[in-house]
Amino acid sequence: MKRLKKYINQNEWYLMGIILIYSIIVTTQNSGFFTLENFFDVLKGSSGMIILAMGILVVLLSGGIDLSFTAIAMFGGYSAARLMMATKIDNLAFAFVVSAVIGILLGAVNALIIHKFHLPTMIATLGTSSLFSGIMTTFIGTKTITVGMMPKSLRAFGGFRLFEMVNDAGSTYGLTVFIIPVVIVVVVTWFILYKTMLGRGVIALGNSEEAAKRSGFNLFWIRMFIYTYVGLLAGIMGVIYVAEVNSVYAVALYGTELTYIAAVVIGGAKLTGGEGKILGTLLGVIIVRLLNSTLVFLGLTSSWNGFFTGAVLLFSVGLTSYMSRLRSRRNLTFTD
Amino acid sequence: MITQMKKFIRQDTTLTVLLGLLIFLILLFGSILQDKFFSFDNIQSMGYQIPEFAFLALAMSIAMITGGIDLSVVANANMAGIMAGYVLTGAVFGLNSGMSDLTLVIIAILVALIVATLGGVFNGILIAKFSVPAILATLGTMTFYNGISTAITEGKGVVGFPDNYLSIGTSAPLGIPLVFYIFFIAFAVVAFVMVRTPFGQSIYLYGENRIASLFSGIKNEKMIIKTYALAGFLSGIAAIIMTSRVNSAKYNYGDSYLLQAILVAVLGGINPNGGRGKVTNVIIGILILQILQSAFTLFAFSPYAKRMIFGFMLLLIMVINFIIDKWGARSKSIAKDSEVVPQEAK
């Protein structure tokens, strides 16, 4: 129990409680919810979000915020698909390499702008977000890629399952192959954050920039890592997204970045930096995805997505902020 | 003459840069587009378009001066617009309630303003009473207000408003759009409040140093709630103008205005960290953005190209501000050094 306490904090227990109670409510309303098939569905739908969420967690830990990752993801995924169609190179690895390289380059642009000009990260990435999206749509194209045009390797990747089962109605379902990149990304992120000096530097930067500088961290390379890492993950997510939806609208993800950030924040990461955990982030993503994908089981249309996501977000940030407010009032500090 | 100019530039570098940019753009587009740019139609259509998002930019600016931000302005405006729309289309009072159109319009305007102000008050309570960081609180309310709008309309638009409501957005007494008068008066009032009243000054003080503001006896919490209520109220005016111009209300109208509102506030010299910036400079920022918009429309640029240019501009302005600050700091320190040198020579 004590060991468990070390790994799971109070906020994460709350989140697990919410997930459990919500699942019970949905199950009583609709038995179709609590099945392995639905679990696999939710998992597949969450894959891209988990990958992006790991990147967002790294940025939030450093005390920054990135609004450009959806633009980067679309830039990478869409350009890779278009390039494959143009060059007739129908190879999945090629798609990932192209998208990842684009992601890293655009992330480096973010890092350079933020570090060299000391810009607030939110405003800087808001600017680069429109800039990247604008460059892509102006110079690469806006034509929707339909199922028929989609390169075969991407389509196969989107539909590939690690193992398959047959349900009562006779249709097959199974565990998506997306789980492999997801697990790799989560493990790598965990390793970097907790087992390397680089990761400690990210958290140090989030706690106090001045202290991080004085303890000898090279802030330029730390920022370079943070934003190129987000870029890289966005690039990977871009390919997964393209493979998943099978028909790509050029600015599809653009404008949804705040939902992703909301998921990470629900998971307990602080926008002020230095606080946030991988487990919490995963739980946050699960809550947002559950709300988005299971409202139909409660007889509500998808129009209610925003309402419930917003309500959960407000409730969770309201509660945690109020707790820390009470704490600081007791200590007679008035900083928040 | 030169010393006077230097003094003027030193006094308000942002204003100088903005005025320079404004004149440069007018001359540039004027010489390229000539009559098309200076035509009565083009100038009048600018007069229609400016107020629509000017109110959102103004709401954003006020929130940013406190050191916060209000991401919910557009979502709040849409929610208010939809509520007003339900009053106007008779969904609230029924079609045969015997109410004249004029009464309906007045009730609708009140509903829009009240809903939006309440939305702002809710933001303020979250930020002041629960200590939620402004960006998070308004991110949450943005999703939430948008969610309310989507849920009650099921994603459809509310359409078909009475003529005298539409005339708010379309009439132009003396050739100047009515909405432009509203914009002008509202800006004058807000500028006056920010500069000449204790409330306005307390907003600046809070943005500069909230603990100092607390210990100098300002009721921080009440002041923040009032500030975000004001931002909400301004979003409500934006809602009325938007809905009356397009004759409908929908949950996702003006999505692009959020970026533009932040862009204009930063362009107008509002410091995102709070405490600095003038509402009057924001007006020039709005004019610059509108001139660019109109010129791009005349050039027939795609919305994508516009987005690219606006993103680039936001970055450029931030970089220029950074360089000016650095340059200003350096020239000050050089001045100090030169004062010190003679003393050492003694």
Side-chain angles (χ1 to χ4, degrees):
Chain A
M1 195 62 205
K2 245 188 184 161
R3 270 184 75 86
L4 214 59
K5 225 174 193 169
K6 199 179 141 197
Y7 293 110
I8 305 174
N9 65 22
Q10 202 180 16
N11 182 45
E12 286 153 4
W13 284 117
Y14 286 145
L15 294 177
M16 283 190 245
I18 293 174
I19 293 172
L20 193 71
I21 294 168
Y22 180 78
S23 303
I24 291 170
I25 294 173
V26 181
T27 313
T28 56
Q29 297 296 312
N30 191 322
S31 59
F33 170 72
F34 206 74
T35 56
L36 201 59
E37 182 178 6
N38 189 46
F39 176 73
F40 285 158
D41 267 357
V42 173
L43 203 61
K44 185 176 180 185
S46 318
S47 302
M49 197 178 217
I50 293 175
I51 291 176
L52 280 184
M54 289 299 127
I56 299 164
L57 175 67
V58 173
V59 182
L60 292 189
L61 275 174
S62 78
I65 193 167
D66 189 342
L67 298 176
S68 68
F69 54 85
T70 50
I72 297 180
M74 282 321 289
F75 204 130
Y78 183 82
S79 312
R82 286 293 290 261
L83 196 63
M84 287 165 87
M85 284 152 53
T87 57
K88 304 267 190 291
I89 302 175
D90 202 346
N91 183 322
L92 189 64
F94 179 72
F96 272 112
V97 169
V98 168
S99 189
V101 167
I102 289 175
I104 289 173
L105 289 178
L106 297 183
V109 171
N110 277 337
L112 277 176
I113 291 174
I114 289 167
H115 187 82
K116 290 288 172 208
F117 302 109
H118 297 270
L119 302 189
T121 52
M122 193 193 79
I123 312 263
T125 53
L126 188 69
T128 53
S129 166
S130 330
L131 186 64
F132 297 158
S133 175
I135 289 176
M136 184 196 101
T137 43
T138 312
F139 297 110
I140 297 174
T142 53
K143 229 166 67 189
T144 301
I145 303 175
T146 57
V147 190
M149 296 150 75
M150 187 71 70
K152 280 198 191 70
S153 58
L154 279 178
R155 251 164 65 196
F157 178 60
F160 191 80
R161 290 159 184 162
L162 291 178
F163 56 85
E164 290 195 331
M165 283 180 250
V166 182
N167 66 6
D168 301 338
S171 58
T172 56
Y173 63 96
L175 183 63
T176 168
V177 68
F178 294 166
I179 195 77
I180 296 175
V182 168
V183 170
I184 294 174
V185 165
V186 171
V187 171
V188 167
T189 309
W190 173 83
F191 183 79
I192 292 175
L193 282 181
Y194 295 103
K195 299 290 164 191
T196 66
M197 202 36 112
L198 191 61
R200 303 327 284 171
V202 170
I203 295 169
L205 173 62
N207 277 314
S208 164
E209 182 172 341
E210 194 57 38
K213 203 152 105 195
R214 292 195 183 190
S215 46
F217 283 112
N218 185 335
L219 295 189
F220 174 71
W221 287 110
I222 290 180
R223 289 211 174 91
M224 200 43 129
F225 160 73
I226 294 167
Y227 293 95
T228 48
Y229 189 62
V230 178
L232 167 71
L233 296 188
I236 295 173
M237 186 274 187
V239 176
I240 291 183
Y241 175 80
V242 169
E244 184 191 350
V245 298
N246 247 330
S247 155
V248 186
Y249 173 52
V251 286
L253 289 172
Y254 188 78
T256 59
E257 51 275 354
L258 291 174
T259 324
Y260 293 88
I261 294 173
V264 182
V265 169
I266 289 174
K270 288 261 168 68
L271 284 180
T272 41
E275 268 181 74
K277 284 171 67 191
I278 287 184
L279 178 65
T281 305
L282 290 175
L283 292 171
V285 172
I286 292 172
I287 288 188
V288 169
R289 290 302 311 178
L290 266 185
L291 286 174
N292 282 349
S293 59
T294 58
L295 289 175
V296 279
F297 289 107
L298 293 174
L300 290 168
T301 59
S302 60
S303 317
W304 288 85
N305 284 352
F307 181 84
F308 283 103
T309 312
V312 171
L313 180 61
L314 285 178
F315 180 76
S316 78
V317 296
L319 189 70
T320 48
S321 303
Y322 194 65
M323 291 297 181
S324 82
R325 173 191 165 104
L326 291 181
R327 254 198 313 280
S328 55
R329 286 291 188 278
R330 267 202 299 278
N331 299 331
L332 293 180
T333 54
F334 296 91
T335 40
D336 59 10
Chain B
M1 177 66 192
I2 292 172
T3 46
Q4 269 178 337
M5 260 178 70
K6 264 190 183 162
K7 208 175 157 193
F8 179 76
I9 293 173
R10 280 275 164 75
Q11 233 172 23
D12 194 338
T13 32
T14 324
L15 183 64
T16 321
V17 171
L18 284 175
L19 279 177
L21 189 60
L22 183 67
I23 293 166
F24 170 74
L25 288 176
I26 292 177
L27 291 177
L28 177 73
F29 293 131
S31 59
I32 299 173
L33 297 161
Q34 293 183 350
D35 292 349
K36 256 201 262 174
F37 186 74
F38 289 117
S39 71
F40 179 74
D41 280 350
N42 188 38
I43 291 170
Q44 199 187 35
S45 79
M46 280 197 224
Y48 279 116
Q49 285 161 18
I50 287 173
E52 193 164 316
F53 93 99
F55 283 100
L56 299 172
L58 188 55
M60 184 67 78
S61 304
I62 299 171
M64 277 167 94
I65 291 174
T66 68
I69 194 165
D70 191 346
L71 297 175
S72 72
V73 282
V74 177
N76 198 358
N78 282 328
M79 180 172 73
I82 286 169
M83 301 297 179
Y86 277 131
V87 173
L88 288 170
T89 51
V92 178
F93 297 109
L95 280 176
N96 302 316
S97 58
M99 234 179 266
S100 73
D101 274 359
L102 192 65
T103 341
L104 267 186
V105 168
I106 292 170
I107 295 173
I109 290 175
L110 287 176
V111 164
L113 294 177
I114 290 169
V115 168
T117 309
L118 286 179
V121 169
F122 186 55
N123 281 336
I125 289 176
L126 281 173
I127 295 163
K129 297 282 180 191
F130 288 85
S131 300
V132 184
I135 175 172
L136 261 190
T138 55
L139 164 64
T141 51
M142 173 183 125
T143 319
F144 189 61
Y145 297 158
N146 229 327
I148 293 177
S149 307
T150 325
I152 58 174
T153 59
E154 292 180 330
K156 293 196 247 332
V158 182
V159 287
F161 301 150
D163 283 341
N164 41 15
Y165 185 73
L166 301 182
S167 67
I168 298 172
T170 51
S171 66
L174 304 175
I176 302 169
L178 177 66
V179 286
F180 196 82
Y181 290 107
I182 303 175
F183 155 75
F184 191 78
I185 294 168
F187 247 88
V189 170
V190 173
F192 179 80
V193 168
M194 293 302 284
V195 182
R196 298 277 172 209
T197 64
F199 171 61
Q201 289 302 299
S202 67
I203 295 179
Y204 278 101
L205 181 53
Y206 179 90
E208 188 71 44
N209 187 334
R210 64 179 69 175
I211 296 176
S213 132
L214 179 71
F215 285 112
S216 58
I218 292 168
K219 293 192 176 67
N220 271 355
E221 298 183 353
K222 215 168 147 190
M223 191 273 294
I224 282 296
I225 295 175
K226 274 204 278 192
T227 309
Y228 281 88
L230 179 59
F233 182 78
L234 292 168
S235 309
I237 301 179
I240 297 167
I241 294 175
M242 275 190 325
T243 48
S244 66
R245 267 170 51 78
V246 294
N247 192 14
S248 69
K250 205 173 171 216
Y251 74 99
N252 63 353
Y253 271 147
D255 273 352
S256 60
Y257 284 151
L258 185 61
L259 170 69
Q260 286 181 20
I262 297 174
L263 170 70
V264 160
V266 175
L267 182 68
I270 305 281
N271 186 332
N273 298 322
R276 310 257 166 91
K278 287 184 188 150
V279 171
T280 40
N281 287 354
V282 174
I283 301 186
I284 304 178
I286 290 169
L287 286 178
I288 291 176
L289 193 79
Q290 187 55 51
I291 286 174
L292 287 173
Q293 281 274 24
S294 304
F296 294 164
T297 311
L298 291 174
F299 287 134
F301 280 2
S302 75
Y304 303 116
K306 279 189 196 172
R307 185 189 288 164
M308 178 174 72
I309 294 167
F310 287 142
F312 180 72
M313 266 189 47
L314 178 60
L315 293 171
L316 190 69
I317 292 293
M318 294 292 291
V319 169
I320 290 176
N321 281 346
F322 169 77
I323 291 169
I324 287 175
D325 274 2
K326 210 173 157 186
W327 175 71
R330 189 183 294 162
S331 68
K332 258 181 214 156
S333 68
I334 288 171
K336 243 188 231 158
D337 287 347
S338 61
E339 277 164 25
V340 175
V341 172
Q343 285 179 343
E344 282 174 345
K346 271 187 229 165

